[in-house]
mmCIF file of all heavy atoms in Angstrom:
data_model
loop_
_atom_site.group_PDB
_atom_site.id
_atom_site.type_symbol
_atom_site.label_atom_id
_atom_site.label_comp_id
_atom_site.label_asym_id
_atom_site.label_seq_id
_atom_site.Cartn_x
_atom_site.Cartn_y
_atom_site.Cartn_z
ATOM 1 N N LEU A 399 15.128 -20.110 13.703
ATOM 2 C CA LEU A 399 13.731 -20.423 14.012
ATOM 3 C C LEU A 399 13.005 -19.193 14.548
ATOM 4 O O LEU A 399 11.882 -18.885 14.143
ATOM 5 C CB LEU A 399 13.657 -21.567 15.027
ATOM 6 C CG LEU A 399 14.081 -22.942 14.510
ATOM 7 C CD1 LEU A 399 13.967 -23.978 15.622
ATOM 8 C CD2 LEU A 399 13.234 -23.346 13.317
ATOM 9 N N SER A 400 13.660 -18.488 15.472
ATOM 10 C CA SER A 400 13.038 -17.281 16.019
ATOM 11 C C SER A 400 12.867 -16.218 14.946
ATOM 12 O O SER A 400 11.836 -15.548 14.881
ATOM 13 C CB SER A 400 13.894 -16.719 17.156
ATOM 14 O OG SER A 400 13.864 -17.565 18.268
ATOM 15 N N ILE A 401 13.900 -16.074 14.106
ATOM 16 C CA ILE A 401 13.820 -15.061 13.049
ATOM 17 C C ILE A 401 12.670 -15.368 12.111
ATOM 18 O O ILE A 401 11.847 -14.511 11.791
ATOM 19 C CB ILE A 401 15.145 -15.015 12.257
ATOM 20 C CG1 ILE A 401 16.273 -14.524 13.154
ATOM 21 C CG2 ILE A 401 15.003 -14.139 11.028
ATOM 22 C CD1 ILE A 401 17.647 -14.709 12.546
ATOM 23 N N ARG A 402 12.597 -16.625 11.692
ATOM 24 C CA ARG A 402 11.551 -17.000 10.748
ATOM 25 C C ARG A 402 10.176 -16.819 11.365
ATOM 26 O O ARG A 402 9.285 -16.219 10.762
ATOM 27 C CB ARG A 402 11.742 -18.462 10.341
ATOM 28 C CG ARG A 402 10.726 -18.964 9.340
ATOM 29 C CD ARG A 402 10.701 -20.470 9.320
ATOM 30 N NE ARG A 402 10.241 -21.002 10.606
ATOM 31 C CZ ARG A 402 10.325 -22.286 10.943
ATOM 32 N NH1 ARG A 402 10.874 -23.143 10.115
ATOM 33 N NH2 ARG A 402 9.873 -22.694 12.110
ATOM 34 N N ASP A 403 10.014 -17.312 12.578
ATOM 35 C CA ASP A 403 8.697 -17.264 13.207
ATOM 36 C C ASP A 403 8.262 -15.830 13.492
ATOM 37 O O ASP A 403 7.105 -15.477 13.290
ATOM 38 C CB ASP A 403 8.710 -18.071 14.511
ATOM 39 C CG ASP A 403 8.729 -19.562 14.240
ATOM 40 O OD1 ASP A 403 8.490 -19.957 13.081
ATOM 41 O OD2 ASP A 403 8.991 -20.330 15.184
ATOM 42 N N SER A 404 9.179 -15.011 13.960
ATOM 43 C CA SER A 404 8.774 -13.650 14.311
ATOM 44 C C SER A 404 8.515 -12.822 13.058
ATOM 45 O O SER A 404 7.561 -12.050 13.002
ATOM 46 C CB SER A 404 9.822 -12.988 15.201
ATOM 47 O OG SER A 404 11.074 -12.977 14.575
ATOM 48 N N ASN A 405 9.344 -12.986 12.031
ATOM 49 C CA ASN A 405 9.111 -12.213 10.817
ATOM 50 C C ASN A 405 7.860 -12.666 10.090
ATOM 51 O O ASN A 405 7.218 -11.889 9.393
ATOM 52 C CB ASN A 405 10.315 -12.316 9.875
ATOM 53 C CG ASN A 405 11.421 -11.365 10.267
ATOM 54 O OD1 ASN A 405 11.167 -10.361 10.921
ATOM 55 N ND2 ASN A 405 12.632 -11.672 9.872
ATOM 56 N N MET A 406 7.510 -13.932 10.244
ATOM 57 C CA MET A 406 6.311 -14.434 9.572
ATOM 58 C C MET A 406 5.079 -13.670 10.021
ATOM 59 O O MET A 406 4.149 -13.448 9.240
ATOM 60 C CB MET A 406 6.137 -15.927 9.863
ATOM 61 C CG MET A 406 5.150 -16.613 8.953
ATOM 62 S SD MET A 406 5.581 -16.451 7.219
ATOM 63 C CE MET A 406 7.165 -17.288 7.190
ATOM 64 N N ALA A 407 5.064 -13.239 11.279
ATOM 65 C CA ALA A 407 3.925 -12.466 11.774
ATOM 66 C C ALA A 407 3.779 -11.171 10.986
ATOM 67 O O ALA A 407 2.675 -10.783 10.608
ATOM 68 C CB ALA A 407 4.096 -12.181 13.260
ATOM 69 N N SER A 408 4.904 -10.498 10.742
ATOM 70 C CA SER A 408 4.834 -9.254 9.978
ATOM 71 C C SER A 408 4.479 -9.521 8.520
ATOM 72 O O SER A 408 3.788 -8.724 7.888
ATOM 73 C CB SER A 408 6.168 -8.515 10.056
ATOM 74 O OG SER A 408 6.370 -8.025 11.355
ATOM 75 N N VAL A 409 4.955 -10.644 7.988
ATOM 76 C CA VAL A 409 4.600 -10.994 6.617
ATOM 77 C C VAL A 409 3.091 -11.172 6.502
ATOM 78 O O VAL A 409 2.460 -10.719 5.538
ATOM 79 C CB VAL A 409 5.342 -12.281 6.177
ATOM 80 C CG1 VAL A 409 4.777 -12.821 4.889
ATOM 81 C CG2 VAL A 409 6.825 -12.004 6.029
ATOM 82 N N ILE A 410 2.490 -11.819 7.492
ATOM 83 C CA ILE A 410 1.044 -12.039 7.470
ATOM 84 C C ILE A 410 0.298 -10.717 7.436
ATOM 85 O O ILE A 410 -0.596 -10.508 6.611
ATOM 86 C CB ILE A 410 0.607 -12.877 8.697
ATOM 87 C CG1 ILE A 410 1.071 -14.326 8.531
ATOM 88 C CG2 ILE A 410 -0.900 -12.824 8.889
ATOM 89 C CD1 ILE A 410 0.876 -15.167 9.772
#
Side-chain angles (χ1 to χ4, degrees):
Chain A
L399 290 180
S400 291
I401 294 168
R402 181 198 65 191
D403 286 347
S404 57
N405 279 336
M406 195 57 62
S408 291
V409 168
I410 288 171

